Amino acid sequence: MLGTILSLRPKASDWLFSVKTFAASILALYIALAFDFDRPVWAMATVYIVAHPLSGVLASKAICRVLGTVLGAVAAVAFVPNLVSAPILLSLVLAIWVGGCLFLSRLDRTPRSYVFMLAGYTAAIVGFPCVGDPTAVFATAIARFQEISLGIVCATVVSHTVFPRHIGPVIAARIDGWMGDIAKLADQSFDPQTDAEALQNDRARIAADLGELHGLALHLGYEKSGFSGRTRQLQALQSVVAALLPVLYAIHDRLVALKTEQGDLPDDVKGILAGISAHIAAPSHDRARIWQLHREIDAFAERVAGSRDWAGLLQINLANRLHRLIDFHDDCRTLWDGIRAGDVPADVLDRWQESARAGALHRDYDAAFRSGLTAVIATLIVCGFWILSGWPSGATAAMMAAVGSSIMSFLDNPVPALKGFIRYTALAVAVVLVYSLVILPGIDGFALLVMAFAPYFILLGVLMATPQTYGFGLAMLVNVVMILNVDTAYSSDVSLLLGGGIASLAGFGVAAIVTAFVRVVPVDSFIRGLVHANWRDIAGIARGTLNIARMVMIRRLLDRQGLILPRLAMAASQRETLIRVMPEVSIAASLYDLRRIRLFVAPMIRARLDVLLRNIARHFEARFDDFDRAPDPRILSEVDNILRLASDMVDATQRQKLLIPLVALRRTLSKTDAPKLDRMAGQVASTTSLSPRMGEIA
């Protein structure tokens, strides 16, 4: 950490953030001392806990913290007086409350998760110190609410009035970057020679940004920038960008297959691709050009509409994907232009609203359960020692066990961060001793106190402006504030300070140990868990048991891909796993379309589709035990059989609707060969597997 700190080159905005935060904390401390609040340091510490360079994020965190504090305080008031005579039961109830709230927090991947986490450990912070005097729990809860609210008000007022920095422009810059990335990705996708892995990395990086920006957009309602109140529109825009990724993957894949079949791309395809590329890169939104591109694609599609060979079927699928790309990009441009102008067309917004909801994001129930269980066990261990030993500082240790189990739970492996927090707490105790024994005895008046605090707090506050040093800065500031416990009168009880510091270290230590045994999952296992979740969804789509909208399903699968990408640095062996996630998105979309079209085709084709869907479901379910299991040859054979039947369909509309997902599915399942679609093979195939159950994988 020392090397990271020494290598920092803070910007002027970092110093401004630190000075503003220090000013807000001093204002909160002054008001708390003036009104003789019970624990003025809670107000001061709260300012640093909710501090953020972006005013909208700070206001959002502040409101969530108030709500969480109220819920936690109410829980403490309900539990402590009624259960104080049964300390074991009280400990169990508080531990379960902390764990249950943390479980809910980990399931909610939006800023609202902060409410649940705060509700959990606030009950511990209010409840455990009142075990010896349960009559004080209501007063303690009120005091904590007052002081935290004071800190939040001071932080919010200073952030929004003194050189505010809004989140809207940050999001706008990110989206402008997306537009450039999409144009670049389209150019690369239109070239069959582009390296597939490089393309996959670019797609995965955009998918990872989508998940991050989904949460950032929720903060827009808490500031007064030009994008205030645009959360729904921005999340719809993210859904469109997510939809573009599998379409571009499909286009590149079809172009690669077409070039393999024919040696080169048809001239009309090259012309269409050049036109689309120029349109996407153009700075203006030219609707006349969009209609012209659609007409060119229609002419190309009409030329290949009656094809029965593999190259022709690939071109039918390609034409459909090119139409979809233009439509999605049109919606993307329309939404972004409308957001900036403050007038988003309702029809476009409605089209993407459903897939923009939080249900389209992955929820890791296993990680959430482990996090909650860790908090329960760590809190109970400390409470058990406290009850058996009568430790005077046991309440502090129990509080810190609950806090330590919660605050780092969003990390895959919280143990290193908890170890760092323990080291920083020990350093904070040393700083507290210097202040308590050397500096504060000579302080006479609030102005001198501010001057004594300023160098340390402003310097450490700068570290909070950088993600790499945020944890160190926050720990060194909040721990110093809380352990020093500044009040209206100076106190130099070193034994009390050391007792509180040791109890804090013990609580965090227990949290770290329990986390290491219960919570930590190897990165490889975590990635496999995300892939297994995709497979469960794909199997559910194939069986018809997962009933969600098509784009919600695609968004969820892509969200998991975005979660995999940043973890590959710690699990390079799983790179192949990331590469095959996008093909599985294509499989899921194809299965969704096949389930829908099966309702409108002839009974014989419907029976074959049912066999195919069941076999694919069984294949993905079998992969839970055999991670690298290859598709059974009978699945490919059945896809080829249905392709032959679909090629001979008389109804042109139904024929195309069936061929498009079948071609995508066949190409995704096997890229090394092409189906034999001659009529004789079709006649032979039609005499086999006539029963819906025949040919199924056991």
Side-chain angles (χ1 to χ4, degrees), residues 36 38 51 86 102 174 251 276 284 304 309 319 378 382 385 392 469-471 479 498 618 685:
D36 197 22
D38 185 53
L102 187 56
R174 182 76 61 87
I251 289 172
I276 295 175
S284 59
V304 298
D309 62 312
V382 175
F385 180 80
T469 55
Y470 173 82
N479 278 316
L498 288 177
R618 290 169 181 170

Side-chain angles (χ1 to χ4, degrees), residues 528 531-532 535 574 577 580 584 616-633 697:
R528 287 189 173 225
V531 175
H532 284 168
W535 292 347
Q574 295 293 329
T577 299
R580 64 188 183 190
E584 289 169 358
I616 290 177
R618 290 169 181 170
H619 163 69
F620 280 100
E621 289 164 351
R623 290 180 73 179
F624 293 148
D625 299 319
D626 184 1
F627 193 81
D628 296 313
R629 180 187 179 96
D632 192 287
I697 300 171

Side-chain angles (χ1 to χ4, degrees), residues 95 372-384 397-398 401-402 405 507 510-512 514-515:
L373 183 62
T374 297
V376 172
I377 295 174
T379 305
L380 286 178
I381 288 174
V382 175
C383 287
S405 302
V510 172
V514 175
T515 298

Side-chain angles (χ1 to χ4, degrees), residues 144-305:
R144 181 161 177 82
F145 172 74
Q146 288 176 330
E147 288 147 8
I148 284 178
S149 298
L150 172 61
I152 286 170
V153 169
C154 291
T156 304
V157 168
V158 171
S159 177
H160 281 259
T161 57
V162 181
F163 302 108
R165 185 184 174 197
H166 297 304
I167 194 173
V170 175
I171 293 178
R174 182 76 61 87
I175 294 173
D176 285 336
W178 275 359
M179 294 302 183
D181 290 342
I182 290 295
K184 178 183 175 183
L185 186 62
D187 275 340
Q188 294 174 329
S189 299
F190 293 165
D191 182 3
Q193 302 299 325
T194 303
D195 180 63
E197 184 172 353
L199 275 177
Q200 174 55 39
N201 289 337
D202 288 343
R203 287 190 295 260
R205 179 173 49 78
I206 295 173
D209 288 344
L210 287 171
E212 179 186 352
L213 208 61
H214 182 89
L216 283 177
L218 292 174
H219 298 298
L220 285 172
Y222 301 91
E223 65 174 30
K224 296 300 181 181
S225 72
F227 293 97
S228 179
R230 302 279 192 272
T231 296
R232 290 171 58 248
Q233 293 92 326
L234 282 166
Q235 290 180 343
L237 175 61
Q238 293 160 38
S239 292
V240 187
V241 175
L244 283 168
L245 298 180
V247 172
L248 287 171
Y249 162 80
I251 289 172
H252 180 259
D253 181 76
R254 301 309 107 83
L255 293 174
V256 170
L258 192 57
K259 186 168 184 178
T260 301
E261 284 290 303
Q262 296 187 329
D264 196 9
L265 299 179
D267 290 338
D268 49 356
V269 171
K270 291 180 180 179
I272 291 170
L273 294 177
I276 295 175
S277 183
H279 166 70
I280 291 177
S284 59
H285 197 186
D286 187 350
R287 292 201 171 276
R289 181 57 180 151
I290 291 174
W291 288 113
Q292 177 61 32
L293 287 170
H294 277 306
R295 285 192 292 270
E296 291 176 9
I297 297 170
D298 284 337
F300 160 62
E302 187 175 353
R303 177 176 67 79
V304 298

Side-chain angles (χ1 to χ4, degrees), residues 3 5 31 41 117 191 242 282 362 374 394 495 523 565 616-617 660 662:
I5 293 173
I31 295 173
V41 292
M117 185 174 70
D191 182 3
H362 171 69
T374 297
S495 63
V523 177
L565 179 64
I616 290 177
I660 287 170
L662 281 173

Side-chain angles (χ1 to χ4, degrees), residues 203-499:
R203 287 190 295 260
R205 179 173 49 78
I206 295 173
D209 288 344
L210 287 171
E212 179 186 352
L213 208 61
H214 182 89
L216 283 177
L218 292 174
H219 298 298
L220 285 172
Y222 301 91
E223 65 174 30
K224 296 300 181 181
S225 72
F227 293 97
S228 179
R230 302 279 192 272
T231 296
R232 290 171 58 248
Q233 293 92 326
L234 282 166
Q235 290 180 343
L237 175 61
Q238 293 160 38
S239 292
V240 187
V241 175
L244 283 168
L245 298 180
V247 172
L248 287 171
Y249 162 80
I251 289 172
H252 180 259
D253 181 76
R254 301 309 107 83
L255 293 174
V256 170
L258 192 57
K259 186 168 184 178
T260 301
E261 284 290 303
Q262 296 187 329
D264 196 9
L265 299 179
D267 290 338
D268 49 356
V269 171
K270 291 180 180 179
I272 291 170
L273 294 177
I276 295 175
S277 183
H279 166 70
I280 291 177
S284 59
H285 197 186
D286 187 350
R287 292 201 171 276
R289 181 57 180 151
I290 291 174
W291 288 113
Q292 177 61 32
L293 287 170
H294 277 306
R295 285 192 292 270
E296 291 176 9
I297 297 170
D298 284 337
F300 160 62
E302 187 175 353
R303 177 176 67 79
V304 298
S307 300
R308 286 178 168 78
D309 62 312
W310 183 232
L313 298 186
L314 286 170
Q315 292 177 80
I316 292 173
N317 182 279
L318 176 63
N320 174 267
R321 294 301 184 255
L322 291 173
H323 275 308
R324 187 168 292 180
L325 171 63
I326 294 172
D327 287 339
F328 287 179
H329 188 267
D330 181 27
D331 282 354
C332 191
R333 275 267 182 89
T334 301
L335 280 168
W336 185 218
D337 290 346
I339 290 169
R340 286 186 294 193
D343 183 21
V344 176
D347 59 327
V348 180
L349 183 61
D350 292 343
R351 197 153 48 234
W352 296 98
Q353 269 298 100
E354 186 173 7
S355 57
R357 294 172 183 164
L361 300 180
H362 171 69
R363 289 185 175 182
D364 193 333
Y365 288 90
D366 179 65
F369 176 76
R370 287 174 177 270
S371 296
L373 183 62
T374 297
V376 172
I377 295 174
T379 305
L380 286 178
I381 288 174
V382 175
C383 287
F385 180 80
W386 176 23
I387 292 170
L388 293 174
S389 66
W391 186 16
S393 299
T396 301
M399 290 186 330
M400 291 302 104
V403 172
S405 302
S406 302
I407 58 174
M408 303 295 180
S409 62
F410 63 93
L411 298 172
D412 290 343
N413 182 4
V415 174
L418 286 172
K419 288 181 178 178
F421 207 90
I422 292 169
R423 291 194 300 270
Y424 308 151
T425 301
L427 287 173
V429 171
V431 173
V432 166
L433 290 176
V434 172
Y435 266 106
S436 181
L437 300 179
V438 179
I439 299 175
L440 292 186
I443 297 297
D444 182 17
F446 190 77
L448 286 177
L449 180 67
V450 174
M451 293 175 63
F453 277 164
Y456 176 83
F457 280 76
I458 291 176
L459 183 61
L460 270 294
V462 170
L463 301 182
M464 289 182 58
T466 305
Q468 294 87 341
T469 55
Y470 173 82
F472 176 81
L474 180 65
M476 292 299 294
L477 287 168
V478 173
N479 278 316
V480 166
V481 170
M482 295 304 296
I483 299 174
L484 195 58
N485 196 21
V486 174
D487 210 333
T488 51
Y490 168 70
S491 173
S492 60
D493 191 338
V494 177
S495 63
L496 184 62
L497 292 177
L498 288 177

